[in-house]
Amino acid sequence: MNRAMDGCFKTIHIPRMCDASHVLAAAFRHHGIPSEVLPETTPESVALGQELCGGRECLPCFATVGDFIHHARSRKCDRHHAALLMLGSSGPCRLGQYAVLARRLLDEHRLEEVDILSPSSIDSYKSFGPGSGRVRWLCWQGVVATDLLQQLVLGHRPYEAIAGSTDAIHAEGLRQITTAVESGGGARLVRVMGGIASRFESLAIDRTQARPRIGIVGEIYVRQNAFANQGLARQVEQAGGEVALATNMEWMYYTNLDMAQRSHRTGNWVAALQARILDLGQRFAEHRITRPVRHLLRFRRESPALELQRAAAPYLTPVVGCDTEALLTLGKAVTFAREGFSGILNVMPFSCMPGVIAAGIAPRIRADFDNIPWLDVSYDSLGGTNLRTRLEPFLHQARQFQLRTRPRPPEPLRAAETPPAGEAPAAPPAHADGEGRPGAARPGSNKAVLERKLAGRGNVDAALLDALERYRYFRDNAQKQRLETDIKKLAPYELI
């Protein structure tokens, strides 16, 4: 057990992954455990992490280990009263070995007095030590609030009339959420969310220019950390898109599901029931905290983990003991595609196994969703991804996909078809859409030609005439459809 949770009150240092890091520290402080968030990641700390590690680790490992050891060596850190929070996971992801590697590196560099707190996803992060259930529950409330704040920022910032106004609301909102969590959350946090909703309601925005919506999925650290992904969300916005990120809530719900399914497979019915009760409690808290801002969200609730698992099932079947983040990546990508998004960005650390799995399966998802644009972006400690160069053609494809798939408005009446003043307009013919589809015959149209050919054959049933017109339409457009299919097949090769 970690001495930080056993009465010695060591200060827990939390890597600065995203906004959720601040509420985790606030939850610890509320329960009398000193905690602070590490300084922001810098190129120097990543270089230090890469130097200390063996070189086969991923970018999140370099960043978190480098950040902490860089801080531990500074005069600001009291290493005799310091502990590092390093979350772990089950399955084949290297995240499960981060704490082991960090412990070895700390010992090698004469930092043996520093403790490591490493709760694991195998029990849905309940192993925080004494009182961990209360700590985890408060952490959950803060994670929900910061995820909602992030969704509001990403949904409004591309359309803000005054540059920087959304970021100002974000900074103030994060401060208030952190304060509310440190005070115990609950009703205080709900009131804070109501105030955040009011500020977003009064924000001046301009949505006259429709933007393609881009869903960002992939490895959680790279997806959430702006330093690691080189400010990907802002770069997409600058290129003309609107971003939606897979949330931190998604991972927490998945750990509940994984715990329940593992317990069910091993016959541990008590643990399976506990996981189910925990999941229901989280759902209730999410509903309560979301209520004040629900009308401002595109997604009114977080997709249940079981829904994501079922969405990914046609492409990836979970294997006992080998569940990976690829399942969530694929499930969320399918969800984004079903919600009408115009592109998917799959981000991953270099050599990340779940990310590579998702990238390999992506063509099958694209084929099932009208060849939706998809771009895989791999990040390493060197920072060279040619991101801007790759985003420009990707956003172009997303805009073309948006135009091709969105519903078209009805064609306005032509001048010759406008009824005289005082007369009611005639009812539009069935199926008319102005492109030669079955409807009222226009001079020179396929239907008019058919009417002339059949004029000498007596009365012709209108249904037969419509059927003949449909046949002619689809026959004449078959070549066009085949050409469009060939163009779709060539679309991936437009990316650099």
Side-chain angles (χ1 to χ4, degrees), residues 1 4 11 15 55 59 87 96 129 135 178 196 213 231 240 247 253 294 297 362 391 402 408 416 423 469 491:
M1 182 179 296
T11 300
L59 176 59
L87 299 181
V135 174
T178 303
I196 291 174
R213 288 192 292 165
T247 63
Y253 277 128
R294 180 173 286 110
L297 299 173
L391 279 179
Q402 179 189 31
R408 282 174 289 185
E423 293 186 14
E469 163 61 3

Side-chain angles (χ1 to χ4, degrees), residues 107-127:
D107 293 343
E108 289 178 357
H109 291 81
R110 300 181 179 180
L111 296 171
E112 301 90 345
E113 61 272 23
V114 176
D115 280 337
I116 294 180
L117 176 64
S118 183
S120 173
S121 64
I122 197 168
D123 62 353
S124 195
Y125 299 112
K126 293 193 297 183
S127 55

Side-chain angles (χ1 to χ4, degrees), residues 19-34:
D19 291 348
S21 301
H22 297 279
V23 296
L24 260 63
F28 280 121
R29 291 195 296 268
H30 173 75
H31 289 280
I33 304 168

Side-chain angles (χ1 to χ4, degrees), residues 213-291:
R213 288 192 292 165
I214 308 299
I216 299 181
V217 298
E219 196 274 331
I220 187 169
Y221 187 95
V222 173
R223 187 178 74 221
Q224 294 285 346
N225 186 266
F227 178 88
N229 62 41
Q230 302 175 17
L232 179 60
R234 290 184 184 272
Q235 291 205 46
V236 171
E237 291 171 359
Q238 292 168 4
E242 176 190 345
V243 167
L245 274 175
T247 63
N248 295 307
M249 286 188 283
E250 170 190 279
W251 175 251
M252 296 298 291
Y253 277 128
Y254 177 68
T255 61
N256 294 342
L257 177 65
D258 184 53
M259 177 182 171
Q261 292 180 340
R262 285 174 181 269
S263 301
H264 185 271
R265 288 193 293 261
T266 58
N268 189 346
W269 309 112
V270 174
L273 179 61
Q274 289 175 343
R276 178 59 177 161
I277 293 173
L278 177 62
D279 196 77
L280 290 174
Q282 289 183 190
R283 278 288 167 196
F284 174 78
E286 180 198 346
H287 176 77
R288 185 184 182 196
I289 297 170
T290 304
R291 188 183 303 153

